[in-house]
Amino acid sequence: MSSQQQHINREFLFALLREAAPRGFERRAADVWKREASGFARVSEDHYGNVYAELGPEDAPAIALLGHLDEIGLIVSHVGDEGFLSVLGIGGWDPQVLVGQRVRLLAPDGDIIGVVGKKAIHVLDPEERKQASRLEDLWIDVGLSQEEARARIPVGTPGVIEQEPLWVGDKIVSRALDNRVGAFIVLEALRALGGEDLKHRVVAVGTSQEEIGSYGAQVGSHRLRPVAGVAVDVTHETRQPGVSEKKYGVVPFGSGANLAVGPLTSPVILRQMIAAAQEKEIPYTLSANPRLTYTDADTMILSRSGVPAAVVSVPNRYMHSPNEMVDARDVRACIDLIAAWVRSLDAEPDFTR
């Protein structure tokens, strides 16, 4: 095992990544997260698919740490001739990355594996070969007749890419790193705070349905009434070809936790996090967010009378693909920075801008 692999709780992270948990169907990942949390925290859940783990005084105001459990997926819209399945996207798919992939369908009577089909290059005419694949031109083949497929795979059956997590060199590669890694980070940050006399009630939340609008964060924030919060997600690693550092900031692998800077996020928490990072020598970078952050922070910030919040992100390559990639050093930096920030807070912090 390399030194980078030793930086994080690999067994827990890989267990989370293996579970199929598309938007609205987060149960399997939520169960792994809850089981891990129950070993050191008070655990609960709500009707909407959010799971909660908390430490600190039960009657104190909450500081919320949000990381979403859902991943982009597919949903069956039609069973056609020969049992071929038509699907719609749950979240933002580039259809090019689906071609030829295996898919796990969460059918009512047990999972079914299928493959994404497309006309072979041999039978494409010259003009078709120049065109990008569209989702409506693809299908899922489960090797069943139309009658069998309709009996076993009703319309509305969700699915995800079938892909195991693995190490490639010193990098973690998997589907669903956006944002199962964020849910992992908030719980590991909470774990890092355990065993100390906490001044605050700190609640890690594995949220649901971020990929279509951060609805789980909206429900969870309303429930918790936090006085401050952090959303953890992924951002684009900027040394990969085609990603502009002028737009996304200088965010290479190994650069640590990426902090969002913008009008929606709290400048007070940002200053506190930078101070904590500098004091503890935790690497970090900054990225500009001129409007929305497109994370769970956007709905948390506007919950009830408003929640001062920050966004902490992990550099990620190949986002929304079957093989996303992150660096364990950056995951570790995010965990350490969030824990250091919570420890640095006064008993009654003032987040007034």
Side-chain angles (χ1 to χ4, degrees):
M1 182 180 295
S2 74
S3 60
Q4 284 201 44
Q5 294 182 34
Q6 295 174 22
H7 287 167
I8 61 172
N9 185 345
R10 168 183 167 155
E11 183 177 352
F12 171 37
L13 177 57
F14 276 39
L16 271 180
L17 291 168
R18 287 190 180 99
E19 296 300 334
R23 181 278 306 158
F25 304 90
E26 294 90 352
R27 182 76 265 165
R28 297 182 186 187
D31 284 343
V32 171
W33 197 93
K34 279 183 61 183
R35 184 166 60 248
E36 188 74 20
S38 65
F40 64 91
R42 304 185 295 271
V43 177
S44 61
E45 62 183 279
D46 63 30
H47 73 95
Y48 205 69
N50 297 314
V51 286
Y52 305 83
E54 64 176 72
L55 294 173
E58 294 187 48
D59 58 350
I63 294 173
L65 312 177
L66 310 185
H68 70 87
L69 287 163
D70 60 310
E71 62 185 291
I72 60 171
L74 301 165
I75 189 166
V76 174
S77 59
H78 177 68
V79 182
D81 297 340
E82 304 300 326
F84 296 145
L85 310 177
S86 298
V87 292
L88 303 173
I90 303 175
W93 278 108
D94 174 359
Q96 313 318 306
V97 304
L98 287 171
V99 175
Q101 296 291 332
R102 298 176 185 176
V103 174
R104 178 176 293 273
L105 297 170
L106 282 59
D109 294 327
D111 292 358
I112 294 174
I113 302 298
V115 297
V116 178
K118 179 189 174 181
K119 289 169 64 175
I121 191 169
H122 313 74
V123 295
L124 292 173
D125 63 40
E127 284 305 311
E128 286 180 311
R129 295 184 186 188
K130 299 176 184 177
Q131 297 171 2
S133 297
R134 301 178 303 170
L135 193 57
E136 54 264 38
D137 298 327
L138 308 177
W139 60 88
I140 296 178
D141 188 342
V142 292
L144 301 175
S145 68
Q146 182 187 62
E147 183 178 88
E148 292 173 310
R150 285 182 172 171
R152 297 180 61 187
I153 308 170
V155 168
T157 298
V160 300
I161 294 296
E162 176 70 358
Q163 195 71 273
E164 276 284 302
L166 70 158
W167 289 91
V168 173
D170 283 327
K171 307 298 187 292
I172 303 158
V173 171
S174 180
R175 50 156 258 283
L177 280 166
D178 178 13
N179 182 40
R180 214 65 54 74
V181 72
F184 168 83
I185 286 168
V186 297
L187 192 57
E188 290 298 292
L190 188 73
R191 191 200 306 269
L193 292 166
E196 300 183 21
D197 294 328
L198 290 175
K199 302 185 290 287
H200 310 91
R201 175 184 166 221
V202 186
V203 187
V205 190
T207 61
S208 65
Q209 302 198 34
E210 189 272 350
E211 290 293 350
I212 59 160
S214 295
Y215 300 128
Q218 183 174 4
V219 172
S221 299
H222 191 274
R223 169 181 170 168
L224 291 175
R225 298 175 179 263
V227 295
V230 177
V232 181
D233 215 305
V234 293
T235 191
H236 298 287
E237 193 273 344
T238 56
R239 295 292 163 81
Q240 59 184 303
V243 178
S244 171
E245 292 185 341
K246 293 180 180 179
K247 180 176 181 179
Y248 295 104
V250 181
V251 192
F253 279 151
S255 60
N258 179 255
L259 306 180
V261 186
L264 198 61
T265 52
S266 168
V268 178
I269 297 179
L270 177 64
R271 289 194 295 269
Q272 292 169 341
M273 284 195 161
I274 290 173
Q278 292 174 343
E279 179 183 353
K280 299 298 182 180
E281 298 184 339
I282 301 167
Y284 71 94
T285 59
L286 303 176
S287 287
N289 285 248
R291 300 188 67 181
L292 298 175
T293 70
Y294 301 100
T295 70
D296 276 341
D298 294 345
T299 55
M300 173 169 55
I301 286 166
L302 299 178
S303 178
R304 295 187 183 269
S305 58
V307 180
V311 177
V312 177
S313 298
V314 182
N316 181 17
R317 287 181 184 166
Y318 321 125
M319 202 179 299
H320 283 204
S321 83
N323 289 290
E324 301 180 17
M325 180 185 287
V326 300
D327 189 311
R329 293 173 296 173
D330 301 324
V331 175
R332 184 73 252 171
C334 291
I335 294 167
D336 293 343
L337 178 54
I338 293 168
W341 169 70
V342 172
R343 291 191 193 103
S344 73
L345 293 175
D346 296 333
E348 296 183 4
D350 181 2
F351 299 105
T352 305
R353 296 192 180 209

